[in-house]
Amino acid sequence: MQQLLAKYGKITDLLEEEAETFRSLASTKREFEAGEVLVASELQSPDQLYIVDDGRLFASMELRNGERAITRLYFPGDIMGTANIPFDHATQTITANTASSMYIFPRSNLVDAFTRLPRIAAIFYTFAALENAILNDRLVSIGRTRGRARLASLLLEIAAREHLVECDDPNICRPALTQEQIGDAIGLTTVQVSRLFKELTTQKLIKRRDGNVELLDPTALQDLGLFRNRYEDLDLDWFEEDF
Amino acid sequence: MQQLLAKYGKITDLLEEEAETFRSLASTKREFEAGEVLVASELQSPDQLYIVDDGRLFASMELRNGERAITRLYFPGDIMGTANIPFDHATQTITANTASSMYIFPRSNLVDAFTRLPRIAAIFYTFAALENAILNDRLVSIGRTRGRARLASLLLEIAAREHLVECDDPNICRPALTQEQIGDAIGLTTVQVSRLFKELTTQKLIKRRDGNVELLDPTALQDLGLFRNRYEDLDLDWFEEDF
DNA sequence: CGAACCTTTGAAGTGACTCAATGCGTGTGG
DNA sequence: CCACACGCATTGAGTCACTTCAAAGGTTCG
């Protein structure tokens, strides 16, 4: 919950009442094991929203032909399940990729929160819009750049997201994903991901050591991956003034 | 404005007060010519939101290498500019692809609407979540399927969106896009789009006549494109009950 | 009628895929 | 404590989808 408040507090100063609402919104906490599936696509009515307390998770969609795509990575402080809200069945599967703990609340809790505190509604809306912008970026990356650029972009995104809450070296990231999962996230096969890792490594752009990836030349990677850190660009003055 | 109210009314019965708020939210109406740019990416502070009254528009992002990606197509009744809301500069360019007219309002108008009528907030949040789900679908399509499937999926999406407000033959769609723009939307080159159109045509899946595309075998196209019409799956009971 | 733009087609090149084998690290049971 | 199995990463060879480059054919509009 600290991460969430930190993340939201980063964009606007929360009133005590609002912070309290966030806390009460998510009263139930649950642990999940690595590999456990929280929301099974198509199977489940998406009544729940989740706020990540700790761990790494991802949202994915299966295709009829057995292939899988990973549409989103989740870090502590993230709200999960947004894309399922307006539907009568889940549109994506959420999987805990490491041991994780999270706060759970039914989407109907939002009704009360939105009614009592319109700024909460604005915050949720804003984060949905942010998620939108990030999805746009990924669409561009996957649709219009080659594998090298896509991998660079993903690594930068992971580094940026990790750095947002865990304040360690911004140039070291821990994908916590197999190469198959990375492929699912950027639209490539395992084989190709492996080759690209090798390529970036021999070009001294990155360095790998037991699951960590060090970004040796962040500037070059940013040029290559055309990456924009959307979290840096946030601006919420528009709803500050009048509420 | 009729389309907007129809679209929103489709998911929940609007109270007169709410319908009134929607109307007053968007008091200014403007016309744009075909080809005109409404929001220039990076250049502009994204203070405006738009509701499409008539015409066809698209959102795009430019890459430094000169390539372009189209991230979203807009139809009458759509709200545009959502992905720009939380930022101090626009993240995407919006272009009127045909002569268009739309309602314009500053994002700060949302503050008042959210405060007075929390259901309006819920509606906006819901549509952001829907947009999210659609972006996820496109990510899967572009990242994990071949050109034939992507084109099929795009055509089905356009047909579904057109049919939502303009109630004509659901199996005829009017992309109103050049093949270059189609390529930008599904991550292919003009050349390949042309070849794929030919392929789908000779396979008797589609038929083209002066800018229209007839879907000769919608079922086969759906199997091919793995398309889900998200608008059909909407479920907003969750905020009906308690507001 | 001509210019501009869009579409189509061909030929050659390339990034990524598939298939398949090997290597590597870790945990488990004999 | 070794042998083995299992999951993951790497590498090679052949193929395919799509790209690039280039030219020609169609449409539309002034």
Side-chain angles (χ1 to χ4, degrees), chain A residues 7 14 21 28 48 50 58 69 74 87 95-96 101 104 117 119 126 128 130 133 180 205-206 224 232:
Chain A
K7 183 175 153 186
L14 291 174
T21 301
T28 315
Q48 312 284 341
Y50 303 82
F58 61 83
Y74 294 108
F87 301 106
T95 309
S101 71
I104 307 181
L117 298 167
R119 266 167 51 106
T126 298
L130 170 64
E180 186 177 5
L205 292 172
I206 61 169
L224 174 60
E232 277 179 354

Side-chain angles (χ1 to χ4, degrees), chain B residues 146-147 187-189 191-192 195-196:
Chain B
R146 320 251 133 250
L188 296 171
T189 57
V191 175
Q192 190 65 5
R195 291 196 227 270
L196 291 171

Side-chain angles (χ1 to χ4, degrees), chain B residues 50-201:
Chain B
Y50 303 82
I51 295 175
V52 181
D53 178 49
D54 191 39
R56 290 295 200 79
L57 305 93
F58 62 83
S60 63
M61 299 175 77
E62 307 276 338
L63 280 78
R64 260 163 277 170
N65 57 18
E67 291 203 274
R68 183 182 60 174
I70 291 180
T71 52
R72 183 91 161 93
L73 304 178
Y74 294 108
F75 296 79
D78 283 346
I79 298 177
M80 304 192 303
T82 311
N84 292 329
I85 282 194
F87 302 105
D88 56 7
H89 58 263
T91 60
Q92 49 184 14
T93 303
I94 297 178
T95 310
N97 209 28
T98 67
S100 308
S101 72
M102 60 213 58
Y103 300 95
I104 306 181
F105 58 97
R107 56 183 176 176
S108 55
N109 274 16
L110 288 181
V111 173
D112 178 55
F114 278 24
T115 307
R116 287 198 301 110
L117 297 166
R119 266 166 53 105
I120 299 273
I123 290 173
F124 270 86
Y125 185 55
T126 297
F127 271 82
L130 170 65
E131 193 147 339
N132 237 292
I134 292 173
L135 283 169
N136 281 337
D137 287 342
R138 300 199 42 203
L139 215 46
V140 175
S141 176
I142 292 179
R144 277 282 175 250
T145 68
R146 320 251 133 250
R148 284 160 44 81
R150 293 188 218 166
L151 181 54
S153 178
L154 183 72
L155 293 174
L156 289 164
E157 189 185 332
I158 293 170
R161 296 302 314 285
E162 279 187 330
H163 189 55
L164 199 64
V165 283
E166 307 156 14
C167 285
D168 33 33
D169 187 339
N171 291 327
I172 292 185
C173 74
R174 177 170 191 74
L177 296 167
T178 67
Q179 291 190 5
E180 186 177 6
Q181 290 168 336
I182 291 175
D184 287 338
I186 59 178
L188 296 171
T189 57
T190 320
V191 175
Q192 190 65 5
V193 171
S194 173
R195 291 196 227 270
L196 291 171
F197 262 122
K198 188 183 171 187
E199 202 181 315
L200 293 184
T201 304

Side-chain angles (χ1 to χ4, degrees), chain A residues 13 20 32-33 41 52 63 87-88 90 96 103 105 110 114 132 136 159 164 166 189-190 200 222-223 227:
Chain A
D13 293 325
E20 188 47 50
F32 292 88
E33 290 168 26
S41 171
V52 182
L63 281 78
F87 301 106
D88 56 9
Y103 300 94
F105 58 98
L110 288 181
F114 278 25
N132 241 294
N136 281 337
L164 198 66
E166 307 156 14
T189 57
T190 322
L200 294 184
Q222 241 155 38
D223 284 351
F227 177 72

